[in-house]
Amino acid sequence: MPDLRQLLRELPVFTGELPTFDPVDTPGEPVALFTDWLLGAVRAEVPEPHAMTVSTADAEGNPSARTLILKEVDTDGWRFAAHADSTKGRELAARPYAALTFYWQPLARQVRVRGPVVRESAERAAADFLARSAGARAEALLGRQSGPLADLAERDAAVAASAARLAVQPDLVAPGWTLHTVRPELVEFWQGDAARKHTRLVYRRAGAHWTKELLWP
């Protein structure tokens, strides 16, 4: 049995040639800087750079987190989709507030976004659903996410039946499919450093404007 404590301590972090980050030369709002960092991750061929951890909480304040795909970002906020009957959908209905975390490991860059969540129109949600791959739409049509499953054969049969429905009705949209927008109150940019002199820049919304502040590592 390996000594996991020792193994974890010996695993390397912040390796390779890391990018620099000058917080002085940054835009006045966070979306432009996020877009620049995201495109930098794409150019660096970071796997799945649009993947993010979405953290929510239930009515009692118990947190949960999962990895989802960013659908869009603009001056209104960061968007992701979820089924209304999923755990995250129910939690957002009870507490419409979320935190997002992006981590681009080869660049040692992290972005944290936090704010209230609003539901987009049914039309925008439908457009998002129809833009998904056939397999993703077939699974989402089941509407059973996080429910108990007897065995994998039951899953496979249900997905196959759902795919058959889509073949006949390609414009089907899953009931309850919801497009959410996180309206940011706080966005933090974190650049790691091998010597642990990490650079942290946080944007905070102040009415219609943003303030910027450096944070200690």
Side-chain angles (χ1 to χ4, degrees):
M1 187 71 177
D3 183 343
L4 289 180
R5 180 175 180 274
Q6 187 63 29
L7 173 64
L8 293 172
R9 286 181 174 272
E10 293 175 352
L11 289 173
V13 295
F14 309 128
T15 59
E17 185 175 348
L18 302 180
T20 59
F21 174 43
D22 182 359
V24 175
D25 186 25
T26 51
E29 51 82 26
V31 171
L33 181 55
F34 175 83
T35 302
D36 181 63
W37 276 29
L38 176 62
L39 294 177
V42 172
R43 288 191 296 269
E45 299 183 345
V46 175
E48 300 180 0
H50 54 339
M52 60 186 177
T53 300
V54 179
S55 302
T56 55
D58 63 18
E60 287 71 43
N62 300 306
S64 60
R66 74 290 290 164
T67 302
L68 297 179
I69 294 298
L70 176 69
K71 297 302 185 74
E72 186 182 14
V73 60
D74 56 27
T75 54
D76 288 333
W78 279 250
R79 292 190 185 85
F80 64 91
H83 201 288
D85 292 331
S86 66
T87 300
K88 53 189 170 292
R90 295 193 300 271
E91 290 180 348
L92 287 168
R95 297 172 65 97
Y97 203 88
L100 312 176
T101 307
F102 296 83
Y103 183 51
W104 301 306
Q105 180 270 331
L107 305 176
R109 281 183 166 177
Q110 179 179 191
V111 179
R112 299 170 56 231
V113 182
R114 191 177 69 206
V117 179
V118 298
R119 295 178 59 165
E120 296 294 336
S121 68
E123 292 76 17
R124 295 191 74 173
D128 173 82
F129 185 84
L130 293 173
R132 291 165 63 86
S133 69
R137 283 182 286 133
E139 184 278 327
L141 276 174
L142 299 177
R144 301 181 186 179
Q145 191 176 72
S146 301
L149 175 67
D151 56 51
L152 297 182
E154 179 186 14
R155 176 204 63 189
D156 293 345
V159 172
S162 185
R165 287 182 63 199
L166 281 174
V168 177
Q169 299 174 275
D171 293 332
L172 277 177
V173 175
W177 190 254
T178 308
L179 188 63
H180 300 278
T181 298
V182 178
R183 298 277 177 85
E185 295 177 337
L186 178 149
V187 183
E188 181 189 327
F189 295 83
W190 183 94
Q191 174 64 66
D193 178 79
R196 302 306 195 271
K197 294 186 295 184
H198 311 311
T199 302
R200 298 174 64 188
L201 175 68
V202 63
Y203 288 77
R204 290 187 175 89
R205 188 181 292 277
H209 305 285
W210 292 91
T211 64
K212 292 191 292 183
E213 180 182 30
L214 289 172
L215 301 178
W216 281 90

